[in-house]
Amino acid sequence: MSESPADTSTDRERSDASLEEVIALCKRRGFIFPSSEIYGGVGSTYDYGHYGVLLRNNVKGEWWRAMLTERDDIVAIDSAIIQHPRVWEASGHVGGFSDPMVDCKTCKLRFREDHLATAQCGRKPSKRAGEGPDCELTEAREFNLMFRTQIGPVAESGSEVYLRPETAQGIFINFKNVLGFARKKPPFGIAQIGKSFRNEITTGNFIFRTREFEQMEMEFFCPPDEAERWHEHWMAERMRWYTELGIQPDNLILRPHGADELSHYSSATSDIEYLFPMGYSELEGIANRGDFDLTQHAKFSGEKLEYFDQGSGERYVPHVIEPAAGVDRATLAFIVDAYDVDEVEGRTRTVLRLHPKLAPVKVAVLPLVSKDGMPERAREVFELLRRRLGTEFDEGGSIGKRYRRQDEIGTPWGVTIDGETAGDGSVTLRDRDSLAQERVPIEGLAERLLAKLDEEWISPKLG
Ligand code: GAP
């Protein structure tokens, strides 16, 4: 039931960004760190530093914008992580959210049965699991991926609950509430962003697959005979979202699931796959879930979960189209796609060519030198801009070093206060991608930058 590993759908490889380079940049510039590092780390969990938080917030902000601000047929929800355990019986997660696992009695490692062909032996990493002379693999057993915990101080029967493995079910169990209070009728959607937890056995590839991650899911409820049309609509919309935010279209594919891959709830699913450094891998799934979830929750809870159309007198269980994306995976894709190395004045420069809307910092204000009143004037410009858009004051070190630092965190614009500023009230505006520098007045600078932020943006990596 859990998704497949980073299976590659095509043989295309990328040469512009290796995972190692991206991980090093994320650490060097304070985007992402391995969690609990001072204690030796804990498998596949990560902490986000300042710029990572800002970037992720922008990814989520753009998703909310696409779901809520730009439409009037979707409402938001924020459901609990711990839900009634029956939710997960109804959804099929208690019975079916598992992977067939094989244990090695010798090295004590556990492998997904469907990954045995590529998994490495714990004792002899040069060999595949099961290939070493001492390997002793057990028969495959189902291993449920939900994290279990308990409510209250005493572990007794009935106190066992789960950390949610997806945000979707929190939406289905609130269908009736939303229908009653949001003044919506199908077709309409309910959107949610939040943490999900899966005790993944095969992790790795940095933040691509972790045990604790954030999802952005939207359940779109529609009349049954409109489901196919809305499935097409959401596949196109979601592809558009990624490319408008700067992902190079050639690095994205929409791959329909084969009949053997479909989840138990889905009659049709297509994955948006991105060309990560390890190959094309799932970024987002767009599923036609039919009436599976509402019907199951109606059965298990005894509540009627249907829509009554007063106009036509028709009563029906809406069908659901679900675009389900991962915040962390999308963030990784945006970083990988933006990662670039070029040469400036004979020196190698690493630059994150992020869409300005995603960039953690929009503009850096830099006094050319720390004297002649430049830091003070720069502070004034900083105060002027920071109220309008994400601004950073960057004073320490040579101007070249500060530009490099801002390039690596993806800041699209730099404003330098220099010797001329005091005389004519102008500054140098530097563009991260073209490196063009123009002289512009401080007056109207915030408006100028806000206008740039609204312009259509195409990745300079497209040439
Ligand atoms: N409600 C459907 C659902 O959860 P999914 O394909 O299992 O579908 C949706 O998950 C998205 O959540 C994936 O496309 C991926 O972006 C993200 N995701 C799933 N498991 C993840 C993990 N272990 N680490 C990071 N992201 C994950």
Side-chain angles (χ1 to χ4, degrees), residues 217 238 257 269-272 282-287 322-326:
E217 297 198 286
R238 296 305 302 148
H257 279 202
T269 296
S270 284
D271 284 344
I272 297 180
E282 177 187 335
L283 188 53
E284 167 161 353
I286 301 143
E322 173 195 72

Side-chain angles (χ1 to χ4, degrees), residues 377 420-427 439-443:
R377 190 69 181 113
E420 285 176 50
T421 308
D424 64 4
S426 71
V427 292
R439 213 61 214 172
V440 298
I442 292 172
E443 205 182 319

Side-chain angles (χ1 to χ4, degrees), residues 1-3 93 97 165-169 172 196 198 200 202-203 207-217 219 242 257 263 265 271-272 282-285 287 289 322-330:
M1 179 158 170
S2 76
E3 56 175 330
H93 284 83
F97 193 55
E166 63 173 18
T167 57
Q169 299 303 323
F172 297 125
S196 293
R198 295 181 191 178
E200 302 274 10
T202 311
T203 50
I207 54 170
F208 177 82
R209 181 177 287 108
T210 51
R211 299 199 169 92
E212 176 181 339
F213 53 97
E214 214 167 354
Q215 290 186 304
M216 309 185 276
E217 297 198 286
E219 310 300 326
Y242 288 105
H257 279 202
S263 304
Y265 54 73
D271 284 344
I272 297 180
E282 177 187 335
L283 188 53
E284 167 161 353
R289 299 182 72 118
E322 173 195 72
V327 176
D328 311 83
R329 237 174 243 191

Side-chain angles (χ1 to χ4, degrees), residues 152-309:
V154 190
E156 56 193 0
S157 80
S159 67
E160 192 172 74
V161 289
Y162 303 96
L163 301 188
R164 68 178 176 203
E166 63 173 18
T167 57
Q169 299 303 323
I171 296 178
F172 297 125
I173 59 174
N174 276 294
F175 174 74
K176 210 173 164 186
N177 286 334
V178 175
L179 204 57
F181 296 105
R183 291 182 295 131
K184 294 284 176 212
K185 58 182 222 169
F188 78 98
I190 308 178
Q192 164 154 241
I193 296 183
K195 284 252 177 170
S196 293
F197 304 82
R198 295 181 191 178
N199 199 359
E200 302 274 10
I201 294 302
T202 311
T203 50
N205 289 327
F206 197 32
I207 54 170
F208 177 82
R209 181 177 287 108
T210 51
R211 299 199 169 92
E212 176 181 339
F213 53 97
E214 214 167 354
Q215 290 186 304
M216 309 185 276
E217 297 198 286
M218 195 275 293
E219 310 300 326
F220 199 77
F221 301 89
C222 59
D225 60 350
E226 292 180 18
E228 245 170 72
R229 181 165 73 76
W230 284 110
H231 194 204
E232 294 294 328
H233 170 89
W234 281 109
M235 288 190 284
E237 275 301 289
R238 296 305 302 148
M239 287 290 275
R240 189 168 69 89
W241 186 79
Y242 288 105
T243 52
E244 280 189 3
L245 285 172
I247 297 270
Q248 299 159 76
D250 276 359
N251 291 338
L252 284 179
I253 51 173
L254 189 63
R255 188 183 67 79
H257 279 202
D260 54 337
E261 275 181 281
L262 287 176
S263 304
H264 62 282
Y265 54 73
S266 171
S267 62
T269 296
S270 284
D271 284 344
I272 297 180
E273 293 192 342
Y274 174 71
L275 184 57
F276 287 98
M278 59 279 186
Y280 275 103
S281 313
E282 177 187 335
L283 188 53
E284 167 161 353
I286 301 143
N288 181 345
R289 299 182 72 118
D291 62 0
F292 175 81
D293 304 274
L294 290 183
T295 306
Q296 282 292 100
H297 286 301
K299 198 161 106 194
F300 278 69
S301 68
E303 289 281 347
K304 272 196 180 140
L305 299 177
E306 55 189 23
Y307 176 69
F308 176 62
D309 188 332

Side-chain angles (χ1 to χ4, degrees), residues 417-436:
I417 281 72
D418 56 22
E420 285 176 50
T421 308
D424 64 4
S426 71
V427 292
T428 302
L429 180 60
R430 172 188 184 265
D431 185 280
R432 172 196 72 197
D433 297 321
S434 67
L435 294 173

